[in-house]
């Protein structure tokens, strides 16, 4: 399974999963259809599945148009998103398994950004230490999604599920927000050397417009303050202990950063 990243709109990423053997394609969070159709044409492939993480327009905007061209493609989304995702056929929840081209993906229910948000995790077929995580707007490189329809407690639970994935898991988040996320991170995790190193690296990458997605779970655990509510540095800078309260204060500060 080859993963192709398509940058669209201001800062969104659409991900195309391409299986060379069957020459089929699945797409994760198609904000728009045009560049996806162009890429599929270039590959001379066929679209069989749309994996939506949540109902926001910058994640589903291309569904309708893609289905016009590929009426047999199947739309997956969260159970709680019923009525909010165009042409949704499957209503997924925690523990469900979906398949693309013989590869299985585990579904995680990760509410917080929205009440229905799900993530798709394709474990590696070669080893148990890696995989591909498509987490929409729940976990970002260096940050996390805003709490539009959920609580800090829910988001901590959701992020805990993702944090428990293997270290080498690649994190394919839906936005290129990394540099601004890390600027905020530096203000709340001041003694974190790994974070400082990452900030320097990402600054250089973004000067050349190099994408910083995918990241890995390992890097996120070391440098993303929204996965570090139980680290001594974050706890002391928030002057709080309890995970949901630490997280809530952190999220509130980021909202106003
Ligand atoms: Zn969103
Ligand atoms: Fe988004």
């Amino acid at each position: 399974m080859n993963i192709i990243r398509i940058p669209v709109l201001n800062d969104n990423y659409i991900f195309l999963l391409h299986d060379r053997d069957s020459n089929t394609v699945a797409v994760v969070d198609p904000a728009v259809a045009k560049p996806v159709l162009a890429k599929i044409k270039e590959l001379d492939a066929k679209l069989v599945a749309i994996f939506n993480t949540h109902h926001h327009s910058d994640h589903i905007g291309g569904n309708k148009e893609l289905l016009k061209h590929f009426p047999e493609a199947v739309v997956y989304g969260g159970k709680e998103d019923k009525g909010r995702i165009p042409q949704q056929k499957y209503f997924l929840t925690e523990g469900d398994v979906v398949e693309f081209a013989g590869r299985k993906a585990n579904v995680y229910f990760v509410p917080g950004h929205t009440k229905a948000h799900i993530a798709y995790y394709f474990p590696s077929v070669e080893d148990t230490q890696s995989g591909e995580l498509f987490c929409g707007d729940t976990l970002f490189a260096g940050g996390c999604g805003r709490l539009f329809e959920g609580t800090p407690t829910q988001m901590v639970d959701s992020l805990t599920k993702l944090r428990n994935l293997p270290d080498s898991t690649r994190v394919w988040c839906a936005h290129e927000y990394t540099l601004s996320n890390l600027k905020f991170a530096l203000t709340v995790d001041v003694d974190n050397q790994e974070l400082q190193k990452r900030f320097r690296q990402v600054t250089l990458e973004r000067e050349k417009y190099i994408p910083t997605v995918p990241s890995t779970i390992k890097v996120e655990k070391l440098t993303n303050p929204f996965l570090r509510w139980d680290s001594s540095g974050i706890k002391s800078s928030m002057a709080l202990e309890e995970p949901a309260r630490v997280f809530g204060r952190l999220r509130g500060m980021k909202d106003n950063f």
Side-chain angles (χ1 to χ4, degrees):
M1 186 172 84
N2 186 32
I3 302 172
I4 301 159
R5 188 185 39 217
I6 307 176
V8 298
L9 307 178
N10 281 337
D11 48 39
N12 275 82
Y13 287 123
I14 299 174
F15 304 114
L16 267 196
L17 319 184
H18 179 222
D19 176 60
R20 288 195 190 85
D21 295 334
S22 58
N23 207 22
T24 55
V25 160
V27 63
V28 181
D29 283 351
V32 291
K34 220 174 161 191
V36 177
L37 290 167
K39 193 71 204 178
I40 295 173
K41 197 172 176 193
E42 186 190 313
L43 296 166
D44 196 22
K46 189 182 158 204
L47 180 73
V48 296
I50 298 176
F51 294 116
N52 291 128
T53 62
H54 65 296
H55 75 291
H56 286 158
S57 62
D58 61 318
H59 298 257
I60 61 161
N63 279 22
K64 228 176 132 191
E65 184 71 17
L66 289 173
L67 282 165
K68 259 189 219 159
H69 289 81
F70 297 96
E72 280 148 49
V74 171
V75 178
Y76 297 86
K79 189 175 157 220
E80 313 283 325
D81 259 335
K82 197 162 195 162
R84 304 204 295 188
I85 294 180
Q87 286 122 312
Q88 184 175 358
K89 181 159 183 206
Y90 288 99
F91 301 86
L92 305 171
T93 189
E94 180 80 18
D96 281 344
V97 176
V98 296
E99 211 178 296
F100 165 65
R103 284 278 304 261
K104 287 184 163 57
N106 303 106
V107 174
Y108 291 96
F109 180 47
V110 287
H113 176 64
T114 71
K115 64 177 185 182
H117 204 301
I118 57 171
Y120 301 88
Y121 177 66
F122 289 84
S124 167
V125 280
E126 281 101 42
D127 63 81
T128 56
Q129 288 314 301
S130 63
E132 315 290 355
L133 172 67
F134 298 95
C135 51
D137 290 353
T138 296
L139 175 62
F140 289 131
C144 75
R146 277 174 193 258
L147 301 181
F148 287 120
E149 297 179 346
T151 65
T153 304
Q154 277 179 327
M155 196 59 150
V156 167
D157 284 351
S158 296
L159 290 172
T160 299
K161 292 177 191 175
L162 305 184
R163 195 173 76 161
N164 287 338
L165 291 170
D167 275 353
S168 303
T169 297
R170 292 196 291 181
V171 178
W172 301 88
C173 56
H175 290 272
E176 178 63 59
Y177 288 158
T178 318
L179 187 58
S180 62
N181 283 339
L182 295 180
K183 281 180 186 160
F184 169 73
L186 287 171
T187 68
V188 291
D189 203 0
V190 288
D191 295 324
N192 186 336
Q193 308 241 324
E194 287 296 326
L195 170 59
Q196 289 160 17
K197 207 172 89 190
R198 187 182 189 191
F199 177 72
R200 288 193 293 271
Q201 187 194 328
V202 165
T203 301
L204 293 175
E205 284 168 347
R206 293 310 293 157
E207 276 168 8
K208 297 177 199 147
Y209 301 101
I210 296 170
T212 63
V213 175
S215 162
T216 65
I217 288 292
K218 183 178 180 184
V219 168
E220 295 311 317
K221 286 199 291 196
L222 288 171
T223 59
N224 185 336
F226 294 97
L227 293 185
R228 294 171 58 76
W229 57 80
D230 45 9
S231 74
S232 56
I234 294 291
K235 281 194 292 190
S236 74
S237 84
M238 294 300 104
L240 289 167
E241 275 288 328
E242 203 264 312
R245 296 190 66 203
V246 173
F247 183 89
R249 180 166 288 177
L250 210 49
R251 190 58 257 180
M253 285 173 71
K254 176 69 167 67
D255 289 345
N256 298 305
F257 184 66

